[in-house]
Amino acid sequence: QVQLAESGGGLVQPGGSLRLSCAASGSIFSRNAMGWYRQAPGQQRELVASINTYGNTNYAMSVKGRFTISRDNAKNTVYLQMNSLKAEDTAVYYCNTNPSYIAWGQGTRVAVSS
């Protein structure tokens, strides 16, 4: 059974940066588009960035130009570089396939606050 493990979250001031990582226990990345999702308190989980097997990327309008998704199939890892963070980026961040079909991991919490 494939498991996902997100890491790299934390508390950061507005305008700061974080790099999230997601490692999978199995070799799923090379066959699937991957995505980073987030869920803010009281909100539904949303897809914020995705990358297909060719390396093509898509972003939600709210993060476009600030976030960068990348993948390393050899390491079974997907990354999310987050720059110019805003308070509204505060959420728990998850990775999964896109569309999602693997059991969700615990996520990594990002808090943007001064």
Side-chain angles (χ1 to χ4, degrees):
Q1 182 178 356
V2 176
Q3 292 183 321
L4 301 166
E6 301 90 348
S7 62
L11 174 63
V12 63
Q13 292 186 341
S17 298
L18 284 173
R19 188 191 193 208
L20 307 184
S21 298
C22 172
S25 59
S27 57
I28 63 169
F29 291 119
S30 62
R31 303 191 302 272
N32 291 278
M34 298 298 299
W36 277 99
Y37 303 74
R38 70 184 180 188
Q39 187 168 21
Q43 303 292 321
Q44 288 190 333
R45 187 175 288 155
E46 63 171 342
L47 176 68
V48 296
S50 63
I51 184 167
N52 66 15
T53 55
Y54 300 101
N56 299 315
T57 58
N58 278 292
Y59 299 92
M61 286 301 298
S62 58
V63 307
K64 200 167 188 177
R66 301 186 297 121
F67 290 11
T68 303
I69 188 172
S70 60
R71 61 192 296 161
D72 186 334
N73 291 341
K75 295 182 178 179
N76 294 335
T77 302
V78 63
Y79 305 97
L80 186 67
Q81 177 66 43
M82 306 187 297
N83 298 327
S84 302
L85 282 161
K86 305 175 181 180
E88 51 263 43
D89 295 318
T90 295
V92 179
Y93 285 72
Y94 305 85
C95 71
N96 208 313
T97 54
N98 179 33
S100 60
Y101 69 83
I102 295 174
W104 295 96
Q106 293 192 341
T108 185
R109 187 174 301 275
V110 172
V112 184
S113 175
S114 55

